Structures are given as structure tokens and as C-alpha cells.
Amino acid sequence: MATETDWNRKAEDKEQTEGNETAEGNETAEEQETEPPQGRFEVTMTSDAFPDPDDAFAIWDNSREDYYIDKDGMVLTYPTEEEAQKGLEKVRKAAADKGMEDNSDLIGKKLMIARC
């Protein structure tokens, strides 16, 4: 929303202000880039789509950007964060056994694929 000082500002001043706003936006983008990558799975609180208190927590699949679903297509939900952490360990173990390893450390790296 424009203020009285915005109305009286010269065109040169607007460019300087816009430049400062852009620089601030870049700082937050740089900060986000320095955050460590998350693993493939994590515990998260469920959305309002799960009204039952027994469905307060679920496992999030970062590679799909959606809730983790089991082989029957069901979202695994838990009433407490502690139970969800136990479920998370089971999911990670099942994913490792299945060969669905966490490759988040490979993001942005150049890979060489050998042909047989």
C-alpha cells in the first residue's frame, strides 16, 4: 500500500528502494540455499483433511512432495509424534530394503552412468 512518502518520492528514489527490496529477497534465497537437504522421509503434522485426532501425524515423502502411502495406497497416520517416529524408522528400513535409497546428497551433482 502506498504511503504519503511514496507519493512524493522522485523516480530515482523508487529505483533505490526497489533495489533494496530485491537485495533483501536475494538474501532469503541465499539463506534457503544454504539449508542442509532433508532426507527423503520425515514426520509431519497432517492437514485439516485428517479431522480424526488419531490422524494427527503422518510421514512425508520429500521426493514425491506428498504423504507417504503404503502398498495399499493408504496414508500412514499416527496419533502421537513418538509413534510417527517409530513408523518413520520402519518406512526408512523398508525403503532401504526395497532399494529406494535416499539420494538427496546427489542433488546438483554430475553423475556418470555406465552402459553394459
Side-chain angles (χ1 to χ4, degrees):
M1 180 173 187
T3 62
E4 187 176 343
T5 55
D6 292 332
W7 299 332
N8 297 325
R9 187 179 307 150
K10 296 178 184 177
E12 302 166 353
D13 295 339
K14 286 184 181 179
E15 289 175 7
Q16 289 176 355
T17 304
E18 289 172 1
N20 291 342
E21 290 172 359
T22 307
E24 290 174 7
N26 288 341
E27 288 176 8
T28 39
E30 289 173 9
E31 289 172 3
Q32 291 174 354
E33 289 176 9
T34 59
E35 291 180 12
Q38 299 173 344
R40 174 161 181 197
F41 302 108
E42 64 183 90
V43 171
T44 186
M45 291 185 74
T46 56
S47 67
D48 294 340
F50 298 89
D52 188 357
D54 288 341
D55 297 332
F57 295 91
I59 298 171
W60 186 260
D61 186 343
N62 287 313
S63 68
R64 293 181 51 241
E65 295 185 0
D66 200 359
Y67 293 113
Y68 172 78
I69 53 174
D70 65 6
K71 62 184 177 187
D72 298 325
M74 300 295 294
V75 175
L76 302 176
T77 58
Y78 305 90
T80 65
E81 189 171 3
E82 292 78 22
E83 289 182 41
Q85 288 292 342
K86 290 176 186 175
L88 176 63
E89 293 305 317
K90 290 179 185 176
V91 167
R92 285 182 175 159
K93 183 178 182 326
D97 292 345
K98 215 172 165 183
M100 298 170 44
E101 57 194 50
D102 179 14
N103 293 323
S104 62
D105 60 329
L106 300 177
I107 295 173
K109 293 187 179 178
K110 189 173 184 177
L111 300 175
M112 298 295 291
I113 300 174
R115 293 186 182 185
C116 297

